Amino acid sequence: MTTFADLGLHPDLLKAVAEQGYTEPTPIQAQAIPLVLAGRDLMGGAQTGTGKTAAFALPILQRLAPHANTSMSPARHPVRALILTPTRELALQVEESFRDYGKHVPLRTTVVFGGMPIEPQMQQLRNGVEILVATPGRLLDHVHQRTVNLSQVEIFVLDEADRMLDMGFIPDVRRILGLLTARKQGLLFSATFSDEIKKLADAFLKNPVLVEVARRNAAAELVSHLVHPVARERKRDLLVHLIKSREMKQVLVFTSTRLGANRLAYQLNRSGVHAAAIHGDKTQAERLQALDEFKSGKVGVLVATDVAARGLDIEQLPYVVNFELPNSPEDYVHRSGRTGRAGATGLAISLVCGEETERLADIERMIKVKIEREIVPNFGPNVREAPGIMARPDRERRRGADEPRLTRGRRPERPAAPAARPAPKPTDPIFSKPYEPGAAPPAAPQPQKRERQVAALLGGFIRKPG
Ligand code: AMP
């Protein structure tokens, strides 16, 4: 077994790691730390939840520590490491990690991001910091106001580069890169490596080593997935039912819009379930307060949009609920990665109505898992919509041939998926539940009349009674 000491880390860092309670390095840490210590550029294929922050923070602290300066003079504390993250929450967490791991090292750290007053950040920067964590827009504001000087940055980290791309930050990132004239080492982390990410990597990495670890939670195989087909107008009641019947103490619920998040949190509270919403319309202070209340257990349900939830580090989160399925399958992966972390098991539950059938099929194709459908008695889908939700992606492709039986007299609303699309593979290295076509589904309560009707229609593609 590799230990943190085997990786060549300084005793001061080993001490901090031990204080965090980490006993052994995660795969990304075991691979990346020696490389970063040796000064190599790196492309890391790893997402939040894999321990990637420590994988770069620990060796960066070690590389900067020998030249740490205890002088009070700001001029003695130029920015030497810059970490760019796409969201404020992630920036905050990364900076917190640097503080935790760098507890016994005399280096200064700060974080700057938008949505907060700029003046206190200016003051922090004026005092001098060696390690700066920032979101791109606010960092450029500081550059324009000349409150930060990036000409002595030696190590540059681009965290969650794919998300940067999604959020349109790449031009800002390139502008910032242009200012780093003293850059010696570059690290890029991304969940995926599209051509655009590779182009970006080419622009600022020298002969990088590619380090890839299994996608989120793959190593632990700890996330299970479940779909509850449900009529759209019954979703809220079903959610309340699930929270109560499963005795969920802490659940992160995703909606697709800010308005939807607010509305749902309000309605949950009215139903006696204590909930808070977190999304981009809230001020930073409000978001942090909601997150704190959720982490401390004061609120049991946090309703979030994708952007707001990105990078949130909530340990031991047992449930994630997709109140609405996301538009992109990647977001589904990010969402479900909020659970099953740090050795705990987790369940990602999706409430799926007829309109979301196509999205569900796309998600299953991407994660290569056939997610189990379970109709909750009294909360079933509309009978008319059920076949679509219950259908397997590969069955759907044959719709043209054998579905008229189900849609007689009606034109299908969407064209069938193209036949060339690959069918989901039965084995999956990423998610926990490989689809076993022949496997008997576990027992579930006796379905009510409407569910039985649906089950009959579908030929047993739902959980059977005990
Ligand atoms: P990250 O992927 O950096 O966001 O880390 C995800 C979570 O794993 C954080 O809560 C870390 O505190 C935790 N973590 C990081 N490294 C380790 C480790 N070696 N052992 C146990 N937990 C860790």
Side-chain angles (χ1 to χ4, degrees):
M1 183 184 88
T2 312
T3 63
F4 278 104
D6 296 338
L7 303 178
L9 288 172
H10 189 276
D12 288 344
L13 295 170
L14 293 176
K15 192 170 155 202
V17 162
E19 284 165 5
Q20 288 298 308
Y22 305 167
T23 49
E24 59 179 305
T26 65
I28 187 77
Q29 290 162 1
Q31 293 177 64
I33 289 173
L35 292 164
V36 182
L37 283 177
R40 294 294 305 266
D41 280 10
L42 191 104
M43 260 169 88
Q47 297 175 324
T48 299
T50 54
K52 73 173 158 64
T53 316
F56 63 78
L58 288 167
I60 288 177
L61 285 161
Q62 180 148 334
R63 280 174 66 70
L64 301 186
H67 311 288
N69 201 305
T70 47
S71 149
M72 293 303 286
S73 161
R76 301 278 178 188
H77 301 275
V79 179
R80 295 171 57 207
L82 173 66
I83 297 91
L84 282 188
T85 73
T87 64
R88 323 168 203 195
E89 283 77 10
L90 186 61
L92 216 55
Q93 281 165 18
V94 168
E95 197 241 359
E96 220 174 279
S97 299
F98 268 99
R99 278 183 197 274
D100 287 341
Y101 307 140
K103 232 173 165 174
H104 309 293
V105 182
L107 289 167
R108 299 181 181 180
T109 305
T110 200
V111 59
V112 301
F113 47 75
M116 293 288 255
I118 198 164
E119 287 76 18
Q121 297 177 356
M122 287 176 165
Q123 193 49 48
Q124 289 271 342
L125 292 169
R126 273 194 213 105
N127 292 342
V129 288
E130 280 89 4
I131 298 163
L132 176 60
V133 184
T135 53
R138 179 54 66 94
L139 180 64
L140 282 172
D141 290 345
H142 282 288
V143 168
H144 295 141
Q145 304 219 24
R146 299 185 192 280
T147 42
V148 69
N149 179 345
L150 301 177
S151 68
Q152 294 189 59
V153 169
E154 299 158 41
I155 309 177
F156 175 69
V157 182
L158 190 60
D159 201 4
E160 303 205 341
D162 49 342
R163 200 63 179 184
M164 294 270 192
L165 190 75
D166 290 349
M167 295 172 74
F169 288 154
I170 297 303
D172 282 353
V173 170
R174 287 185 182 275
R175 237 167 269 144
I176 292 164
L177 275 165
L179 303 169
L180 310 182
T181 45
R183 180 163 42 91
K184 293 189 190 130
Q185 188 174 16
L187 314 173
L188 177 149
F189 289 86
S190 189
T192 52
F193 289 110
S194 62
D195 287 348
E196 260 172 299
I197 300 284
K198 285 191 198 124
K199 236 165 67 189
L200 186 71
D202 284 345
F204 87 97
L205 298 178
K206 289 181 305 283
N207 196 17
V209 189
L210 177 67
V211 172
E212 271 188 294
V213 296
R215 271 190 279 166
R216 192 193 333 267
N217 299 315
E221 296 197 342
L222 291 170
V223 181
S224 307
H225 304 260
L226 181 61
V227 161
H228 289 311
V230 58
R232 194 156 74 116
E233 62 280 7
R234 295 282 284 151
K235 280 190 177 187
R236 182 163 46 88
D237 292 338
L238 173 56
L239 178 61
V240 172
H241 169 81
L242 290 173
I243 290 168
K244 292 185 174 165
S245 63
R246 284 184 178 267
E247 296 181 5
M248 294 179 177
K249 295 276 178 291
Q250 205 188 26
V251 53
L252 183 59
V253 178
F254 285 94
T255 60
S256 35
T257 64
R258 296 165 181 195
L259 194 67
N262 269 346
R263 196 185 302 139
L264 183 60
Y266 172 78
Q267 290 164 336
L268 286 173
N269 281 311
R270 285 190 49 157
S271 308
V273 174
H274 204 177
I278 185 167
H279 55 69
D281 282 347
K282 300 247 171 185
T283 64
Q284 183 63 11
E286 285 170 333
R287 288 155 70 156
L288 293 178
Q289 188 192 343
L291 186 60
D292 275 352
E293 287 181 353
F294 184 60
K295 280 188 172 181
S296 69
K298 212 167 141 197
V299 242
V301 182
L302 190 64
V303 187
T305 54
D306 288 290
V307 170
R310 177 73 181 176
L312 288 186
D313 178 26
I314 304 158
E315 276 170 49
Q316 312 270 327
L317 188 58
Y319 294 103
V320 162
V321 172
N322 294 301
F323 191 76
E324 283 135 3
L325 284 181
N327 271 322
S328 87
E330 285 82 6
D331 279 334
Y332 180 88
V333 176
H334 289 305
R335 289 180 179 189
S336 36
R338 307 287 94 209
T339 181
R341 301 173 85 178
T345 50
L347 179 61
I349 299 175
S350 301
L351 312 187
V352 181
C353 66
E355 291 153 40
E356 296 168 304
T357 307
E358 194 108 329
R359 289 186 195 176
L360 178 59
D362 286 345
I363 288 165
E364 292 185 302
R365 278 187 203 102
M366 161 143 174
I367 67 173
K368 301 194 176 71
V369 173
K370 173 67 196 164
I371 304 175
E372 188 178 334
R373 274 75 161 156
E374 181 192 313
I375 291 176
V376 178
N378 296 323
F379 296 96
N382 290 326
V383 174
R384 203 161 36 80
E385 295 176 345
I389 310 177
M390 307 302 272
R392 308 171 190 196
D394 52 352
R395 177 187 288 187
E396 226 186 3
R397 286 204 313 275
R398 296 198 306 268
R399 205 177 253 184
D402 64 6
E403 214 203 21
R405 189 167 56 88
L406 297 173
T407 57
R408 199 192 324 252
R410 296 180 62 239
R411 228 156 35 98
E413 284 171 17
R414 291 173 191 272
R421 268 185 149 153
K425 292 205 180 75
T427 53
D428 170 53
I430 296 158
F431 285 87
S432 59
K433 272 195 160 177
Y435 168 48
E436 291 164 12
Q446 174 76 38
Q448 303 295 301
K449 186 168 169 243
R450 186 156 66 122
E451 280 78 38
R452 280 205 298 273
Q453 223 178 336
V454 172
L457 248 176
L458 295 162
F461 195 65
I462 57 169
R463 286 185 174 196
K464 295 214 178 69

